[in-house]
Amino acid sequence: AQKVTQAQTEISVVEKEDVTLDCVYETRDTTYYLFWYKQPPSGELVFLIRRNSFDEQNEISGRYSWNFQKSTSSFNFTITASQVVDSAVYFCALSTNTGNQFYFGTGTSLTVIP
Amino acid sequence: KAGVTQTPRYLIKTRGQQVTLSCSPISGHRSVSWYQQTPGQGLQFLFEYFSETQRNKGNFPGRFSGRQFSNSRSEMNVSTLELGDSALYLCASSLEGAVTYEQYFGPGTRLTVT
């Protein structure tokens, strides 16, 4: 069975603080894909990153960075020097060729306080 | 490039009625997926269409159905509406398939069943 767990339901940080959003996944497939999406208050989900299971290289994009560790089945997302505009719900998702589905975590609501 | 569009944006229906939602994908995208988002269940995958064929399906009753046209536009239909069908319905398009490619989401249709 495939599953994505985002244990942090809500996080509040003060502007300019760093924050890490956790994502733990479960799958028996050897080929799978992990994603992060952002859902701002406007409601439209925005794609942030895709990573396949064979690429464990961490990635940095501006203030965003992702840490993929197969050993712990985690794909964590860090925002450095958070800004008010980062306030949103962030979803981690998993897909596999076997499952032929897309599985979202329950999301982490991030509030950045000015 | 125009994004994913969904119509209508808001809809109020009565229990027992049926409803049809429409989604126009990004030009050139052949895959369209539908999701249901509720506060209690989060984001759940309904189904994916690719080249006018349903390729993947989530765990929803047969009251939920869809189709895709030759221009990749897709419709989702819910028959015999129940109160629990009240949700935000999101459509997403991707180049080749929801499983391996990033998806681009529309703004959603907010369905309220009374």
Side-chain angles (χ1 to χ4, degrees), chain A residues 61-111:
Chain A
S61 176
R63 297 184 296 107
Y64 295 171
S65 62
W66 290 269
N67 183 0
F68 177 25
Q69 291 195 334
K70 288 176 76 170
S71 59
T72 56
S73 297
S74 64
F75 186 42
N76 296 335
F77 173 31
T78 297
I79 302 175
T80 303
S82 59
Q83 299 176 1
V84 172
V85 293
D86 296 327
S87 296
V89 180
Y90 291 86
F91 291 94
C92 180
L94 163 74
S95 66
T96 72
N97 289 326
T98 302
N100 273 334
Q101 278 202 32
F102 211 76
Y103 302 87
F104 279 93
T106 50
T108 297
S109 177
L110 173 66
T111 300

Side-chain angles (χ1 to χ4, degrees), chain B residues 20 23-24 27 35 64 69 81 87 106 108 110 113:
Chain B
T20 299
C23 171
S24 292
S27 177
Y35 296 84
F64 291 82
F69 302 94
L81 284 165
R110 173 78 60 186
V113 182

Side-chain angles (χ1 to χ4, degrees), chain A residues 22-86:
Chain A
D22 298 333
C23 173
V24 174
Y25 62 91
E26 293 176 32
T27 180
R28 291 181 180 170
D29 288 20
T30 55
T31 301
Y32 52 89
Y33 305 85
L34 296 164
F35 304 78
W36 274 96
Y37 284 86
K38 173 184 179 180
Q39 188 174 39
S42 60
E44 198 162 325
L45 278 148
V46 177
F47 166 77
L48 294 177
I49 190 171
R50 176 181 73 112
R51 177 64 83 233
N52 71 56
S53 54
F54 299 108
D55 181 6
E56 284 194 75
Q57 199 169 22
N58 292 329
E59 179 153 341
I60 298 174
S61 176
R63 297 184 296 107
Y64 295 171
S65 62
W66 290 269
N67 183 0
F68 177 25
Q69 291 195 334
K70 288 176 76 170
S71 59
T72 56
S73 297
S74 64
F75 186 42
N76 296 335
F77 173 31
T78 297
I79 302 175
T80 303
S82 59
Q83 299 176 1
V84 172
V85 293
D86 296 327

Side-chain angles (χ1 to χ4, degrees), chain B residues 2 7-8 18 20 32 36 39 44 48 68 72 76 82 90 95:
Chain B
T7 57
Q18 77 163 19
T20 299
V32 173
Q36 181 194 67
Q44 294 187 284
E48 179 198 11
Q68 186 180 33
S72 292
M76 190 193 92
E82 300 177 0
L90 294 164
L95 199 57

Side-chain angles (χ1 to χ4, degrees), chain B residues 2 4 6-7 17-18 31-32 37 39 41 43-45 53 60 75 81 87 93 95 97-98 103 109 111:
Chain B
V4 178
Q6 292 187 246
T7 57
Q17 288 185 315
Q18 77 163 19
S31 164
V32 173
Q37 186 175 24
Q41 299 296 320
L43 271 159
Q44 294 187 284
F45 172 77
T53 302
F60 278 80
E75 287 182 347
L81 284 165
S93 76
L95 199 57
Q103 298 178 80
T109 294
L111 171 65

